[in-house]
Amino acid sequence: MVGLRSGKVLAYSTRNKRCAVCQSAQRSGQEVRAHDCRCNWSGSSKAMEPDVAVELANNAGKHGAQISILVGDDDSSTIKKVRESVQHDVDKWSDIVHAKRSMATSLYSLQAKHKGVLSNKVIDYLLKCFGYALKQNKDNVEGLKTSLKSIVPHAFGHHENCSSSWCGYLNNPTTYTHNSLPHGKDLQGQELESDLKEVVDIFVQSANKLAPLGSSKANEALNNTIGSKAPKIRHYGSSESNDYRVACAVSQKNLGHSYVAEVRKAYLYFLVTTSQSHSTARMYAIESYVR
């Protein structure tokens, strides 16, 4: 969970479905030796995100930081679970990057039905118009709805609902041509127009969530840092190693690379002042310092 204004990690948690030590003992029929078991999940992988979101929202409330807005993709299960778990209202803002990807996916899925007409160039044009509509109507829900509704009619030569601030046809109808459509001409086809309107209408209905222009870029940046320390081509999720690596990524996100020296200080202090093992000291230094 990354702060909308600070860009810092406010809280985090992990879910692990396996433990190599426990599974090895189970296969051999032996008693499980004492170890740092991190297995804490038995449900589906899809249910991990809503469960973590609930945990983080509740923990934030215990520390006096009430979560009032969540920014993310349009996974309804996550916001539903969070709202059920807290006693206050939680608004949902859509991440505009995910929204653009979702629209692109919907448009490309229509290509097979409209071969030769709905080309990549046309899709790029519609996505560009979608991006303009978002940027030009920040925090303006009604303005965003109007702009989104005019995208498809404008491309098909219907300019009744266009605005002179961006529509060249209204300024000079006799010489106007589309800059980004094939040959500068209007799109043709009633069925294509109807299908494109259906795609855009989905985002019109979500205009109140899109208008704030919420972004989860900070989360994506954190994911890249985690991926550099725990790459998916290697499996660290069956031991405490994965949690260490996530904790290090969170520290790097919040503090920069100076976290390495700070963790070492905490590790040495804990090692000197207690009689714990090196592995326990390492765990304490990394995870408690992050908290």
Side-chain angles (χ1 to χ4, degrees):
M1 183 175 288
V2 179
L4 193 60
R5 296 180 180 175
S6 68
K8 303 289 187 180
V9 179
L10 307 180
Y12 80 101
S13 185
T14 62
R15 294 293 181 270
N16 302 290
K17 298 179 70 172
R18 296 178 56 198
C19 174
V21 176
C22 292
Q23 289 184 332
S24 176
Q26 185 178 15
R27 287 194 300 267
S28 62
Q30 298 178 350
E31 184 177 351
V32 181
R33 62 176 174 82
H35 67 289
D36 184 10
C37 183
R38 297 302 177 104
C39 184
N40 60 358
W41 187 253
S42 59
S44 68
S45 297
K46 184 175 177 59
M48 286 181 177
E49 183 177 332
D51 188 70
V52 170
V54 168
E55 177 187 334
L56 299 185
N58 288 330
N59 287 345
K62 293 177 183 177
H63 289 85
Q66 182 172 291
I67 303 301
S68 58
I69 298 170
L70 280 181
V71 180
D73 58 22
D74 290 323
D75 180 7
S76 59
S77 61
T78 298
I79 187 63
K80 179 176 181 292
K81 291 288 186 181
V82 170
R83 285 171 173 165
E84 290 174 349
S85 68
V86 298
Q87 303 300 317
H88 59 275
D89 293 334
V90 180
D91 290 334
K92 175 67 191 309
W93 290 359
S94 295
D95 171 40
I96 58 173
V97 175
H98 281 89
K100 290 176 182 178
R101 289 175 185 169
S102 178
M103 184 174 184
T105 300
S106 299
L107 292 175
Y108 281 113
S109 67
L110 291 175
Q111 275 191 319
K113 183 178 179 181
H114 301 282
K115 292 181 179 179
V117 181
L118 189 59
S119 63
N120 290 345
K121 186 174 183 178
V122 173
I123 290 177
D124 289 341
Y125 166 79
L126 295 172
L127 291 175
K128 182 171 67 174
C129 292
F130 182 69
Y132 286 157
L134 291 174
K135 291 296 184 181
Q136 294 171 359
N137 293 280
K138 179 176 172 58
D139 296 325
N140 183 359
V141 177
E142 293 305 318
L144 178 58
K145 287 182 178 180
T146 301
S147 294
L148 291 176
K149 288 178 181 178
S150 65
I151 291 176
V152 175
H154 173 79
F156 281 80
H158 310 308
H159 305 281
E160 296 82 3
N161 297 318
C162 292
S163 170
S164 58
S165 63
W166 55 266
C167 179
Y169 176 87
L170 297 181
N171 297 320
N172 197 346
T174 56
T175 61
Y176 175 75
T177 57
H178 295 282
N179 289 331
S180 302
L181 287 178
H183 311 294
K185 297 181 179 180
D186 297 330
L187 296 179
Q188 302 292 328
Q190 186 174 356
E191 187 178 11
L192 174 61
E193 184 176 4
S194 177
D195 288 343
L196 292 177
K197 283 183 177 179
E198 286 185 12
V199 171
V200 175
D201 282 345
I202 295 174
F203 298 94
V204 172
Q205 295 170 12
S206 303
N208 61 319
K209 296 188 292 184
L210 289 167
L213 301 189
S215 175
S216 60
K217 287 184 179 179
N219 298 72
E220 298 297 334
L222 176 62
N223 288 342
N224 289 335
T225 304
I226 294 174
S228 69
K229 299 182 185 300
K232 292 183 178 180
I233 59 173
R234 299 183 181 89
H235 180 60
Y236 296 106
S238 295
S239 69
E240 67 274 18
S241 176
N242 184 70
D243 286 357
Y244 290 161
R245 293 167 184 271
V246 173
C248 288
V250 171
S251 298
Q252 183 173 316
K253 173 71 173 175
N254 285 354
L255 304 171
H257 290 280
S258 63
Y259 86 92
V260 177
E262 298 297 331
V263 167
R264 179 171 174 78
K265 289 179 185 177
Y267 163 71
L268 293 175
Y269 175 81
F270 186 81
L271 196 62
V272 170
T273 57
T274 69
S275 57
Q276 299 294 332
S277 65
H278 285 269
S279 60
T280 303
R282 184 168 59 250
M283 177 186 68
Y284 165 83
I286 296 175
E287 296 186 324
S288 65
Y289 184 75
V290 171
R291 289 194 292 269

